[in-house]
Amino acid sequence: MKYFFAALFLSNLLSVGAQDEPCLNWSVGFELNGCTYDRILQVVEENLGVCPHNALTELKLVTSSPSDEAALEAIDRICLDGWDTVSQTKFDDIDPRFTDAFMAEHIDGAGFLNYETGSFQNTDEGTNIGNFRDGEAKSTRMNGFEGLDTCSLNSIMCCFGRDRQPDDNNGNCATPLDTSCVDADPADNSNLCYSNHDKTFFHKDEEGDIHCHGLAWDDDPNEFTSQLKYNNFFFVSLFDHMYQRGYVEDVIDDDDIPMCACMEDMSIVVSRSDCTQIDASL
């Protein structure tokens, strides 16, 4: 993913007092792979050269900040303003049927994407997901939807209980579908240990094969992992696991157990989960 912030600092900087001057030419700018306070401070330190003040003072001067904390806040605001210039997309830009209400139902393990059986290849929804992955998913910042918009633990996990797609070398769904893909299993990568809502323990492999995969992001709202968390969720849930592998539905047939949720809302405890980190650059 590549994002470009045009004249990010130049358009946001406040006036600098005449009593002291920045040492760097801020009108030229710097090459940054990420817009965060820590990254900018590091780049300033690397480029400051011979200067009567340190990098933090340089940032205070160029943002007209009276304190270290004020400089941090100013840099954070500038970076957030920069992210606001990036084109944004929603899940219904993938497919007009993928409205917020539809996606909320989908992560609960319901809806036609979960209930139907068969390949996503050469279907409208499959083509739309594949095209979005090759296009807007790499060049826009995706917005979320209710249910995944207030994750207090900065993480989302999906646990899939069924494989609906044959001939993809993942899970055990096969053709013919009516005999070889009835309640087929995903590749097993975890064990269900406990269900919070009914206080049920699961011993050994009694829940059958399940597959869990998640993502997490930084506390800093300007980090790539934070700003692009829904891009990552699209990749993990809709593209990689559903479109490519056919993994769908929740691990227990229970309305209180979601397929995907913020970690604090998953309602189950599992032994492990894979995790995907985004690869992004400015």
Side-chain angles (χ1 to χ4, degrees):
M1 300 178 186
K2 292 187 177 180
Y3 296 96
F4 300 91
F5 298 156
L8 181 59
F9 277 91
L10 190 59
S11 62
N12 285 278
L13 295 178
L14 303 176
S15 60
V16 177
Q19 71 275 15
D20 200 355
E21 295 289 338
C23 292
L24 298 176
N25 183 359
W26 287 89
S27 64
V28 175
F30 308 97
E31 183 175 339
L32 290 171
N33 187 29
C35 188
T36 65
Y37 173 81
D38 289 340
R39 178 60 182 146
I40 291 168
L41 183 63
Q42 177 187 354
V43 172
V44 170
E45 288 174 341
E46 293 170 352
N47 289 274
L48 197 58
V50 178
C51 182
H53 54 252
N54 61 20
L56 180 54
T57 300
E58 179 79 4
L59 290 181
K60 288 163 65 177
L61 286 169
V62 81
T63 58
S64 293
S65 299
S67 66
D68 298 354
E69 293 76 13
L72 188 154
E73 292 175 1
I75 298 297
D76 280 348
R77 286 195 304 271
I78 291 170
C79 289
L80 287 172
D81 288 345
W83 277 111
D84 284 342
T85 69
V86 175
S87 298
Q88 300 181 35
T89 50
K90 298 179 64 177
F91 280 81
D92 59 9
D93 291 312
I94 305 169
D95 186 303
R97 293 169 292 180
F98 297 177
T99 63
D100 288 355
F102 176 89
M103 290 304 302
E105 181 183 52
H106 174 72
I107 62 174
D108 278 341
F112 78 93
L113 296 176
N114 285 300
Y115 292 156
E116 291 182 358
T117 297
S119 176
F120 284 104
Q121 311 310 310
N122 301 316
T123 65
D124 288 343
E125 56 271 17
T127 298
N128 290 336
I129 290 170
N131 288 342
F132 190 86
R133 167 69 176 108
D134 293 334
E136 291 95 326
K138 297 181 180 180
S139 60
T140 67
R141 177 167 61 96
M142 294 191 69
N143 292 321
F145 50 89
E146 187 175 357
L148 296 182
D149 54 350
T150 56
C151 298
S152 61
L153 297 179
N154 288 14
S155 53
I156 296 169
M157 184 171 69
C158 297
C159 284
F160 308 99
R162 186 170 78 91
D163 178 18
R164 57 159 282 175
Q165 177 169 268
D167 305 324
D168 59 12
N169 296 315
N170 288 283
N172 63 8
C173 175
T175 52
L177 298 178
D178 58 350
T179 59
S180 300
C181 195
V182 178
D183 198 22
D185 296 321
D188 192 19
N189 78 339
S190 188
N191 290 309
L192 178 61
C193 303
Y194 182 70
S195 172
N196 291 327
H197 83 284
D198 60 2
K199 314 301 182 187
T200 299
F201 286 93
F202 293 82
H203 302 283
K204 296 185 179 180
D205 296 324
E206 69 174 279
E207 80 284 357
D209 293 344
I210 65 172
H211 190 99
C212 297
H213 203 111
L215 59 134
W217 55 92
D218 199 272
D219 285 332
D220 188 335
N222 285 306
E223 283 284 357
F224 284 128
T225 56
S226 301
Q227 286 290 334
L228 305 178
K229 56 182 175 290
Y230 298 115
N231 298 62
N232 198 4
F233 175 74
F234 158 76
F235 177 83
V236 167
S237 63
L238 290 180
F239 179 77
D240 185 28
H241 285 83
M242 191 186 75
Y243 170 71
Q244 293 200 128
R245 311 187 200 193
Y247 295 172
V248 293
E249 292 193 36
D250 43 17
V251 298
I252 305 174
D253 187 14
D254 191 306
D255 291 341
D256 293 314
I257 306 296
M259 180 179 70
C260 302
C262 301
M263 280 299 299
E264 64 268 23
D265 298 326
M266 271 303 287
S267 299
I268 57 173
V269 177
V270 297
S271 60
R272 65 175 301 279
S273 173
D274 292 336
C275 187
T276 293
Q277 180 173 313
I278 62 167
D279 180 16
S281 62
L282 289 171

